[in-house]
Amino acid sequence: MNYKVGDKVVYPNHGVGIIEQISYGSLNGRTETYYMLRITSSSLKVMVPRSNAETVGLRPVIRNGEAEKVLGYIEKGKFNSHHDWKHRFKENCERMRTGSLIEVAAVLKSLVALSRTKPLSFREKKMLDRAKYLLVSELATARNTSTELVENMLVKSLAKAHLRMPAASELAKLGD
């Protein structure tokens, strides 16, 4: 995929970024095109070789129709969560790294469901918070709306699945 300056893209596990510059450089005697992007939330600057963009999972922000599918998945989608903490965490890490918003939604939904039955570990709390951030920021960008509005949509979608997002104070507790 060829991006241009100003395009909004998603860099897996970091969120929405904007292509600020396209530059050319030499690597191992080969001329390479680089996308210089700034992650919106952190102002982190990332340089991605165009030849490697697909491999690292760089992709355009989802469209509004896909946003509806993600919210629909949160409402009605099936998920399975491994009982063993190590396997579950590894599986969730792999899902987060795919960059797919449906996979991120699956992580969020399974961790929210798990939080109803037992306290989440510190790392799972952080992962839930990260999944929520990635979902909210990309859905807000896709729908051209505020993150507050998208957070409310997320809460309503979870409620339809008989789930409740743990309060920020619950996620902030560093008990484990």
Side-chain angles (χ1 to χ4, degrees):
M1 177 118 199
N2 285 326
Y3 299 104
K4 56 189 184 307
V5 172
D7 283 353
K8 290 181 180 174
V9 295
V10 175
Y11 190 72
N13 233 353
H14 289 280
V16 176
I18 298 171
I19 305 278
E20 291 191 328
Q21 186 181 345
I22 297 173
S23 60
Y24 305 89
S26 190
L27 181 65
N28 297 333
R30 250 183 53 227
T31 301
E32 178 68 82
T33 303
Y34 293 91
Y35 296 119
M36 305 292 289
L37 57 120
R38 180 181 44 81
I39 304 300
T40 315
S41 65
S42 63
S43 294
L44 175 73
K45 299 225 181 229
V46 181
M47 190 164 99
V48 180
R50 183 165 68 195
S51 62
N52 205 23
E54 198 173 311
T55 309
V56 299
L58 194 68
R59 63 173 176 77
V61 170
I62 63 168
R63 292 201 161 80
N64 201 17
E66 293 172 86
E68 289 303 318
K69 287 180 191 167
V70 170
L71 290 170
Y73 171 81
I74 290 170
E75 289 174 22
K76 300 181 185 91
K78 300 278 184 251
F79 64 93
N80 55 357
S81 189
H82 209 282
H83 295 298
D84 177 60
W85 184 90
K86 245 191 244 180
H87 286 94
R88 181 175 62 242
F89 189 76
K90 183 175 183 262
E91 196 173 83
N92 283 341
C93 282
E94 287 167 7
R95 285 179 149 172
M96 294 288 282
R97 272 195 294 272
T98 66
S100 159
L101 208 55
I102 286 283
E103 292 294 330
V104 173
V107 169
L108 177 112
K109 189 170 182 176
S110 68
L111 289 175
V112 167
L114 183 65
S115 74
R116 290 180 58 186
T117 58
K118 62 187 228 149
L120 296 179
S121 72
F122 173 73
R123 290 171 79 187
E124 285 178 316
K125 287 177 188 176
K126 288 192 68 73
M127 186 178 285
L128 173 58
D129 199 43
R130 187 92 196 128
K132 178 184 169 194
Y133 159 74
L134 292 170
L135 275 166
V136 168
S137 62
E138 186 168 356
L139 289 172
T141 302
R143 294 178 144 225
N144 199 18
T145 189
S146 73
T147 55
E148 291 78 18
L149 199 63
V150 172
E151 276 195 49
N152 288 336
M153 282 188 254
L154 196 56
V155 166
K156 286 177 184 168
S157 293
L158 283 166
K160 288 179 183 175
H162 307 291
L163 296 170
R164 182 185 66 83
M165 180 71 74
S169 59
E170 293 173 63
L171 291 177
K173 289 178 191 162
L174 306 180
D176 359 319

